[in-house]
């Protein structure tokens, strides 16, 4: 590189844009595919990207595994090998290029690739990209591409047979693909095969970009110093010009290239940079970078990158309690609020851009600022991370290892090294990536789940050594070498059987649910950062009807049972329901109360974590979404319907939270402030009965310090009728309802809710009013849409207006369910 010049004139910009382009050609090969079983003769049309299950579904060869108990009927699909083929044509323009490369973005998983009948390549990792140089093999104008996908069991059985030890958890550990496809306690066993990502050809002559990394060197309020590390592939030694456009500013850099593939560093300085923030704390501002490679008066290649400038680091420092665990964004501690994310469908080709947009918009609407991409799923699409950048959502990114001990042979380690390098380099320009984590619960499983039982000391040492090679050497070294992101070995740091889980690192607290501890346990045991905790519920009526393929709600069918993957799931929900609610006498009400139950438990956890700030600096519940219609821990079901948890978590994740607790006969009211500004205002408290009569009230002017949590008011309630009253607290624009008794003990009056419905441009406005306190008001309809509020408390004589966003022309079947009017028994 020689000199860097800043050209600010419009004429220069126009001149650059009018240069002739001779950029690499890209030809997609997603059309005209066919498939068949390796032991059958008839070829059938296939969809690419796709998988064998959806292709068989399209031809009605199998029944839909997402409905009834059809999952068990399609297991034979994974026990067969399959082949796909297509033909592709290369024009004279392409054939004359000096370089022609066939690229595979994702093959699931053990594939043999043939071109014109000749074997070219084997693949063994669904997460990796593969490429074949077509200049090194005989090709024609018209060519045949055939891919044979061998069943995973062949390789897994062989690997297990050759393994020195019997490793947990079964054979999936030997195959680098989405682990959840082997079945999980929320998902089906649907082990796919096929071309799950696109295939394309690149053709070029002398020059092209191989990769661009916008590396942040130093960022202050006045200046951002960047180093753009560009890998350029050149056929010869030559001088070229690089045009870099950042928003409207142009930088021209002269570069002396060497033959081959080399890295060139371009320093860039941005004055008064606009920083990227999470959506709840500021603007997730993105700079638009455009890179053009100029030679011989032509644009030889160009690349676009949207980049948010920010600093992000994980802070783990020894303190009086143990060791901190929090994220610091642009030099400020940020409280992480969100959930764990799993793949949105067992069949990834069914996830559209619309699905990504809706779900991540829901995340923002719900005041979440972080998602954890869980390690048993997939490294998500570019679209997913682009949207997280744009919407201001931080991503805790697991590597794809979960709940198992993995092999340590040389070939497996090489495979992992390649996978890690590809994924870290792919994602490193995303402002949303906050952390790379090695695995989900592998270390906890080894130390606390009995996996060491009946093993010799030598065996245990060797298995743990293999673990450390991957998670303490290969992965952290790869993250450090190719990115600026922090690395965390395993989640959680300690399992719940270790006393340190409360004082150090992140925690997965499953005493509630798996160990059947009461919800109050969340208030007693608060860790430094809660990265997993949760509770199950039934999904929406729509989803249950879909599972049963019946318009009535029936929870006792074999279909419903087959969509509950936790062996104690139904019983645990029943046990917790008895503790907290009256048991409904019909299935429709049971579904409703199951969602209230889930929301109650998880929100108790969220509020306990937030009250403990700054000791605790994050709460991510399990889980945000579903991969199929299921009874699960999700807050948003398979069809995108918000459960009660999502609505109540939205309120619990507000930047300013009012949270009260009852300790013996003393009520303490906290105000939590996640913003970076002090807030002054009046804290107003009143206790009313369920008919609206005021029993007690008080008022206090307070200043809530920035980024803080504090109890601002406390009082005794010895003489209050706890079963028939509620505490209503207001601060600024926030309001909370705190009940002194469990829902099953509340003496809620039965009274109707008056409703009025009016049509609007985007749906319907629904006005509600009642003469008594109505708890957990649930609105539902057969029409597809979204209520901006639901599962809400309606005060006596309060008028509440709710928007139902829908494309429906009419709303004639609006139903209302409340805890007041539900038929139930103790």
């Amino acid at each position: 590189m020689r000199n860097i010049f800043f050209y600010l004139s419009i004429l220069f910009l126009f001149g650059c844009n009018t240069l002739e382009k001779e950029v690499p050609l890209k030809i997609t090969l997603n059309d005209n595919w066919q498939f068949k079983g390796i032991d059958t003769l008839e070829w059938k049309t296939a969809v690419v990207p796709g998988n064998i299950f959806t292709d068989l579904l399209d031809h009605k060869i199998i029944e839909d595994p997402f409905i009834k108990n059809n999952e068990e009927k399609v297991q034979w699909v994974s026990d067969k090998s399959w082949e796909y083929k297509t033909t592709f044509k290369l024009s004279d323009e392409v054939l004359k290029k000096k370089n022609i490369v066939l690229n595979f973005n994702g093959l699931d998983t053990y594939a043999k690739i043939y071109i014109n009948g000749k074997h070219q390549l084997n693949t063994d990792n669904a997460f990796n990209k593969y490429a074949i140089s077509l200049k090194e093999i005989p090709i024609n104008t018209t060519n045949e591409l055939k891919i044979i996908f061998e069943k995973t069991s062949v390789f897994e059985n062989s690997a297990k047979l050759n393994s020195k030890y019997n490793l947990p958890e079964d054979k999936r550990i030997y195959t680098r693909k989405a682990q959840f496809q082997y079945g999980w306690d929320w998902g089906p066993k649907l082990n796919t095969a096929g071309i799950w990502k696109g295939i394309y050809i690149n053709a070029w002559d002398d020059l092209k970009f191989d990769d661009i990394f916008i590396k942040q060197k130093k960022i202050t309020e006045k200046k951002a110093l960047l180093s753009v590390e560009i890998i350029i592939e050149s056929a010869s030694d030559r001088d070229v010009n690089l045009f870099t456009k950042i928003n409207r500013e142009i930088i021209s850099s002269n570069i002396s290239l060497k033959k081959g593939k080399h890295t060139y560093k371009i320093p860039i300085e941005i004055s008064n940079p606009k920083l990227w923030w999470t959506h709840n704390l500021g603007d997730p501002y993105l700079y638009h970078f455009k890179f053009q490679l100029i030679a011989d008066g032509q644009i030889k290649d160009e690349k676009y990158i949207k980049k948010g400038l920010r600093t992000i680091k994980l802070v783990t420092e020894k303190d009086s309690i143990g060791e901190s665990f929090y994220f610091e964004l642009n030099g400020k501690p940020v409280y992480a609020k969100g959930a764990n994310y799993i793949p949105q469908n067992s069949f990834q080709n069914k996830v559209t851009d619309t699905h990504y947009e809706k779900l991540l918009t829901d995340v923002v609407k719900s005041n979440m600022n972080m998602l954890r991409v869980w390690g048993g799923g997939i490294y998500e699409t570019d679209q997913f991370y682009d949207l997280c950048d744009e919407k201001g959502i931080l991503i805790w990114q697991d590597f794809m290892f979960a709940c198992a001990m993995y092999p340590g042979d040389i070939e497996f380690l090489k495979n992992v090294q390649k996978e890690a390098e590809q994924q870290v380099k792919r994602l490193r320009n995303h402002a949303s990536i906050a952390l790379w984590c090695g695995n989900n619960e592998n270390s906890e499983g080894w130390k606390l789940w009995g996996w060491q039982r009946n093993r010799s000391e030598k065996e245990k040492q060797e298995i743990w050594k293999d673990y450390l090679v991957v998670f303490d050497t290969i992965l952290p070294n790869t993250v450090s070498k190719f990115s600026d992101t922090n690395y965390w070995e395993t989640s959680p740091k300690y399992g719940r059987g270790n006393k340190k889980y409360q004082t150090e690192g992140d925690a997965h607290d499953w005493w509630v649910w798996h160990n059947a501890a009461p919800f109050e346990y969340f208030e007693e045991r608060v860790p430094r950062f809660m990265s997993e905790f949760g509770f199950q519920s039934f999904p929406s009526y729509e989803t249950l009807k879909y599972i049963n393929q019946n318009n009535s709600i029936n929870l006792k069918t074999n279909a419903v049972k087959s969509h509950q993957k936790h062996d104690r799931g139904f019983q645990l929900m029943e046990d917790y329901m008895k503790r907290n609610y009256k048991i409904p006498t019909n299935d429709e009400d049971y579904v409703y109360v199951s969602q209230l139950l889930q929301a109650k438990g998880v929100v108790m956890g969220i509020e306990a974590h937030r009250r403990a700030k700054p000791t605790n600096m994050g709460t991510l519940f399990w889980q945000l979404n579903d991969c199929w219609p299921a009874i699960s821990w999700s807050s948003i079901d398979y069809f995108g319907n918000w459960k009660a948890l999502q609505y109540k978590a939205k309120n619990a994740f507000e930047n300013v939270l009012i949270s009260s607790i009852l300790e013996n006969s003393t009520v303490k009211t906290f105000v939590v402030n996640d913003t970076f500004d002090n807030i002054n205002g009046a804290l107003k408290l009143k206790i009313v009965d369920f008919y609206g009569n005021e029993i007690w009230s008080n008022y206090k002017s307070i200043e809530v310090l920035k980024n803080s949590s504090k109890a601002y008011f406390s009082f005794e309630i010895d003489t209050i009728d706890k079963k028939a009253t509620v505490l209503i607290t207001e601060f600024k624009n926030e309001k909370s309802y705190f009940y002194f008794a469990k829902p099953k003990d509340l003496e809620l009056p039965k009274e109707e809710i008056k409703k009025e419905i009016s049509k609007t441009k985007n749906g319907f406005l629904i006005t509600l009013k009642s003469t008594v306190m109505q708890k957990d008001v649930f609105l539902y309809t057969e029409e597809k849409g979204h209520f901006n509020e639901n599962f809400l408390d309606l005060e006596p004589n309060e008028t509440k207006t709710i928007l139902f966003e829908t494309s429906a022309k009419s709303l004639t079947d609006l139903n209302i369910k409340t805890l007041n009017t539900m038929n139930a028994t103790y």
Side-chain angles (χ1 to χ4, degrees):
M1 183 187 71
R2 297 177 191 153
N3 299 315
I4 298 178
F5 303 95
F6 288 79
Y7 295 84
L8 302 177
S9 72
I10 299 298
L11 289 174
F12 179 90
L13 179 59
F14 284 165
C16 176
N17 283 344
T18 56
L19 289 175
E20 179 185 348
K21 288 187 178 182
E22 196 183 66
V23 299
L25 300 173
K26 183 176 181 179
I27 306 136
T28 59
L29 300 184
N30 294 342
D31 298 326
N32 304 315
W33 283 89
Q34 296 177 292
F35 80 100
K36 73 177 186 70
I38 199 145
D39 56 353
T40 59
L41 298 175
E42 184 180 1
W43 290 93
K44 295 184 179 294
T45 58
V47 175
V48 170
N51 69 82
I52 186 59
F53 282 95
T54 53
D55 285 332
L56 292 169
L57 265 173
D58 289 344
H59 289 278
K60 296 181 170 43
I61 295 172
I62 62 171
E63 296 180 81
D64 188 345
F66 283 13
I67 65 174
K68 297 185 176 180
N69 56 350
N70 290 341
E71 176 199 355
E72 63 189 44
K73 300 177 184 178
V74 301
Q75 293 306 306
W76 63 269
V77 175
S78 303
D79 293 331
K80 284 175 62 72
S81 296
W82 303 88
E83 54 185 310
Y84 283 71
K85 71 174 183 179
T86 190
T87 57
F88 63 93
K89 293 184 177 181
L90 299 176
S91 66
D92 289 341
E93 179 188 15
V94 173
L95 288 169
K96 289 176 183 177
K97 295 292 182 181
K98 296 177 184 178
N99 301 278
I100 308 174
V101 175
L102 177 59
N103 299 278
F104 303 87
N105 277 350
L107 299 175
D108 182 12
T109 294
Y110 298 106
K112 293 182 178 179
I113 302 171
Y114 296 82
I115 298 175
N116 297 327
K118 293 187 177 180
H119 176 252
Q120 300 296 334
L121 180 69
N122 291 344
T123 74
D124 61 357
N125 192 319
F127 301 127
N128 284 355
K129 295 181 179 180
Y130 294 88
I132 298 171
S133 172
L134 298 184
K135 277 295 187 179
E136 298 175 7
I137 62 176
I139 52 172
N140 311 305
T141 302
T142 301
N143 304 274
E144 182 188 68
L145 172 60
K146 184 167 75 173
I147 307 174
I148 296 176
F149 292 94
E150 298 188 70
K151 56 187 179 182
T152 60
S153 59
V154 172
F155 297 88
E156 291 160 357
N157 290 336
S158 175
K160 185 171 184 177
L161 188 65
N162 292 322
S163 177
K164 292 172 64 176
Y165 308 116
N166 184 23
L167 298 173
E169 285 273 313
D170 206 24
K171 300 174 185 177
R172 66 176 171 85
I173 61 173
Y174 300 107
T175 299
R176 294 308 300 142
K177 65 174 294 178
Q179 301 285 272
F180 82 104
Q181 293 181 349
Y182 291 79
W184 223 266
D185 56 4
W186 39 258
K189 182 181 179 182
L190 294 169
N191 192 359
T192 60
I195 306 166
W196 78 294
K197 293 189 176 182
I199 299 176
Y200 65 95
I201 289 171
N202 271 145
W204 72 97
D205 281 326
D206 301 318
L207 288 170
K208 81 175 187 73
F209 290 130
D210 185 74
D211 187 59
I212 299 177
F213 174 33
I214 304 172
K215 188 172 185 178
Q216 300 177 169
K217 303 293 286 185
K218 186 178 181 180
I219 297 179
T220 66
E221 289 185 2
K222 294 183 178 180
K223 189 181 298 184
L225 300 179
L226 311 177
S227 174
V228 181
E229 299 182 359
I230 304 178
I231 301 176
I232 299 174
E233 186 174 338
S234 176
S236 62
D237 292 352
R238 63 185 305 176
D239 290 340
V240 298
N241 194 261
L242 175 73
F243 286 170
T244 304
K245 181 182 179 185
I246 309 170
N247 293 353
R248 295 184 177 182
E249 187 175 48
I250 303 291
I251 301 170
S252 177
S253 312
N254 297 320
I255 307 176
S256 295
L257 298 182
K258 295 180 181 179
K259 181 180 179 180
K261 192 182 293 186
H262 297 280
T263 300
Y264 305 89
K265 297 181 180 181
I266 310 297
I268 290 178
E269 180 179 311
I270 297 176
S271 299
N272 303 313
K274 295 182 180 179
L275 299 184
W276 184 95
W277 289 94
T278 55
H279 68 90
N280 68 312
L281 296 175
D283 179 19
Y285 184 83
L286 297 176
Y287 283 88
H288 292 233
F289 287 78
K290 179 180 179 181
F291 301 93
Q292 291 182 318
L293 191 58
I294 313 296
D296 305 325
Q298 296 177 317
I299 301 173
K300 294 293 186 179
D301 202 355
E302 58 186 3
K303 188 175 179 67
Y304 301 84
I305 297 174
K306 291 181 181 180
K307 173 72 175 177
L309 302 182
R310 89 289 182 266
T311 60
I312 183 79
K313 68 177 181 179
L314 174 65
V315 180
T316 55
E317 297 175 343
K318 295 294 182 183
D319 57 24
S320 61
I321 301 169
E323 186 175 272
S324 67
F325 190 106
Y326 66 90
F327 292 92
E328 190 178 88
L329 178 62
N330 299 324
K332 296 185 177 182
V334 170
Y335 194 93
K337 301 173 286 194
N340 287 261
Y341 171 94
I342 65 170
Q344 293 187 51
N345 200 301
S346 292
F347 307 134
Q348 179 60 25
N349 56 300
K350 294 298 184 182
V351 184
T352 65
D353 288 352
T354 301
H355 287 118
Y356 283 118
E357 176 65 37
K358 181 188 181 303
L359 186 62
L360 293 174
T361 297
D362 285 349
V363 166
V364 173
K365 285 181 180 178
S366 303
N367 301 308
M368 297 177 172
N369 63 8
M370 177 176 277
L371 294 177
R372 174 176 174 242
V373 178
W374 172 74
I378 63 172
Y379 303 99
E380 266 297 345
T381 64
D382 293 340
Q383 167 79 352
F384 174 87
Y385 299 103
D386 286 343
L387 286 170
C388 289
D389 289 349
E390 292 171 13
K391 294 179 183 295
I393 304 167
L394 290 171
I395 295 299
W396 168 317
Q397 179 67 53
D398 281 1
F399 283 99
M400 293 301 118
F401 301 88
C403 302
M405 300 301 284
Y406 288 84
D409 59 274
I410 296 299
E411 289 305 312
F412 185 85
L413 297 180
K414 286 181 179 178
N415 202 350
V416 168
Q417 174 67 66
K418 182 180 178 182
E419 171 188 324
E421 182 174 333
Q422 284 192 12
Q423 296 300 333
V424 171
K425 291 175 75 172
R426 177 173 75 95
L427 300 182
R428 61 186 174 178
N429 282 319
H430 288 283
S432 54
I433 299 293
L435 183 72
W436 280 98
C437 180
N439 65 75
N440 174 79
E441 298 182 345
N442 296 12
S443 176
E444 178 184 7
W446 178 249
K447 294 173 181 177
L448 297 172
W449 295 357
W451 291 352
Q452 298 185 51
R453 196 175 297 125
N454 300 323
R455 299 182 189 271
S456 68
E457 284 304 312
K458 179 185 177 183
E459 182 177 349
K460 287 188 283 188
Q461 289 173 9
E462 289 192 7
I463 292 173
W464 186 246
K465 180 182 177 182
D466 289 342
Y467 169 94
L468 292 177
V469 170
V470 175
F471 302 110
D472 198 42
T473 302
I474 291 176
L475 297 185
N477 289 350
T478 302
V479 172
S480 176
K481 180 178 180 181
F482 295 109
S483 80
D484 298 324
T485 308
N486 288 144
Y487 174 83
W488 187 248
E489 177 197 308
T490 183
S491 181
K493 180 175 183 179
Y494 300 109
R496 63 184 183 275
N498 189 315
K499 293 180 180 179
K500 288 185 177 180
Y501 92 94
Q502 267 187 267
T503 59
E504 296 182 26
D506 68 309
H508 294 191
D509 197 329
W510 287 105
W511 288 103
V512 172
W513 183 262
H514 288 303
N515 292 83
F519 288 149
E520 289 74 16
Y521 182 90
F522 285 139
E523 299 176 328
E524 299 164 3
R525 305 277 184 96
V526 177
R528 307 307 297 266
F529 191 107
M530 186 74 91
S531 50
E532 269 195 35
F533 71 109
F535 198 87
Q536 275 198 1
S537 74
F538 283 93
S540 65
Y541 297 146
E542 177 190 11
T543 302
L544 288 165
K545 291 174 182 178
Y546 181 82
I547 292 171
N548 281 328
Q549 292 293 286
N550 191 296
N551 206 38
S552 62
I553 303 300
N554 185 349
L555 304 182
K556 300 172 183 63
T557 65
N558 289 331
V560 169
K561 292 176 183 176
S562 71
H563 287 247
Q564 165 63 277
K565 294 301 180 181
H566 191 279
D567 57 0
R568 294 164 54 224
F570 290 134
Q571 187 59 54
L572 282 168
M573 276 194 282
E574 177 87 3
D575 292 345
Y576 276 88
M577 197 178 292
K578 287 177 181 177
R579 298 178 194 173
N580 294 279
Y581 289 84
K582 298 173 183 177
I583 304 296
T585 56
N586 65 72
D587 286 354
E588 188 176 282
D589 286 347
Y590 198 94
V591 172
Y592 162 67
V593 175
S594 80
Q595 291 196 17
L596 296 181
L597 178 69
Q598 177 193 36
K600 177 178 174 59
V602 174
V603 169
M604 282 179 69
I606 291 171
E607 292 197 13
H609 304 153
R610 294 192 65 190
R611 286 195 303 268
K613 179 181 182 174
T615 300
N616 172 281
M617 283 298 288
T619 178
L620 309 177
F621 65 76
W622 183 272
Q623 67 204 69
L624 177 67
N625 59 303
D626 280 322
C627 67
W628 78 319
I631 297 91
S632 78
W633 292 265
S634 72
S635 56
I636 300 177
D637 74 12
Y638 173 72
F639 287 110
N641 299 301
W642 286 27
K643 298 182 183 179
L645 171 56
Q646 193 69 19
Y647 283 101
K648 291 181 182 284
K650 174 186 176 181
N651 297 329
F653 283 149
E654 289 280 3
N655 270 350
V656 177
L657 170 71
I658 303 168
S659 178
S660 296
I661 57 171
L662 178 61
E663 296 179 350
N664 298 317
S665 61
T666 302
V667 175
K668 293 182 180 179
T669 297
F670 289 71
V671 181
V672 183
N673 179 12
D674 285 347
T675 75
F676 300 137
D677 297 307
N678 296 346
I679 302 174
N680 292 280
L683 183 66
K684 302 174 183 177
L685 306 95
K686 66 178 179 179
I687 297 175
V688 299
D689 66 19
F690 294 150
Y691 296 91
N693 299 308
E694 186 175 297
I695 297 169
W696 172 90
S697 65
N698 214 319
Y699 170 103
K700 185 179 182 181
S701 294
I702 62 172
E703 180 181 34
V704 181
L705 299 181
K706 60 185 178 182
N707 220 358
S708 70
S709 171
K710 180 181 175 182
Y712 286 90
F713 206 94
S714 65
F715 61 95
E716 300 296 317
I717 58 165
D718 288 327
T719 60
I720 298 295
D721 183 352
K722 298 182 182 64
K723 296 182 179 181
T725 54
V726 59
L727 170 66
I728 302 174
T729 309
E730 295 182 68
F731 178 71
K732 306 297 281 188
N733 296 319
E734 303 302 323
K735 180 183 284 191
S736 79
Y737 300 95
F738 180 73
Y739 296 86
F740 305 114
K742 289 186 175 183
K744 70 176 182 178
D745 296 324
L746 294 176
E747 297 172 353
L748 296 166
K750 295 183 184 297
E751 188 64 60
E752 70 172 347
I753 297 177
K754 294 180 180 180
K755 64 184 179 186
E756 294 180 3
I757 302 173
S758 60
K759 186 77 176 73
T760 68
K761 182 180 179 180
N762 298 321
F764 297 89
L765 289 176
I766 302 160
T767 302
L768 305 176
K769 190 172 183 179
S770 175
T771 59
V772 301
M773 188 76 187
Q774 298 280 359
K775 183 158 174 55
D776 296 315
V777 178
F778 171 43
L779 307 178
Y780 61 104
T781 171
E782 293 286 340
E783 301 292 350
K784 194 67 178 174
H786 177 72
F787 295 96
N788 71 328
E789 289 186 74
N790 215 339
F791 299 95
L792 60 128
D793 290 354
L794 182 65
E795 293 180 39
N797 301 310
E798 172 192 23
T799 298
K800 189 80 173 178
T801 301
I802 295 167
L803 173 64
F804 179 55
E805 299 175 81
T806 181
S807 59
K809 302 301 181 184
S810 62
L811 186 60
T812 59
D813 67 335
L814 179 67
N815 296 289
I816 300 177
K817 197 181 292 290
T818 75
L819 209 55
N820 302 53
T821 57
M822 188 192 65
N823 293 318
T825 61
Y826 279 96

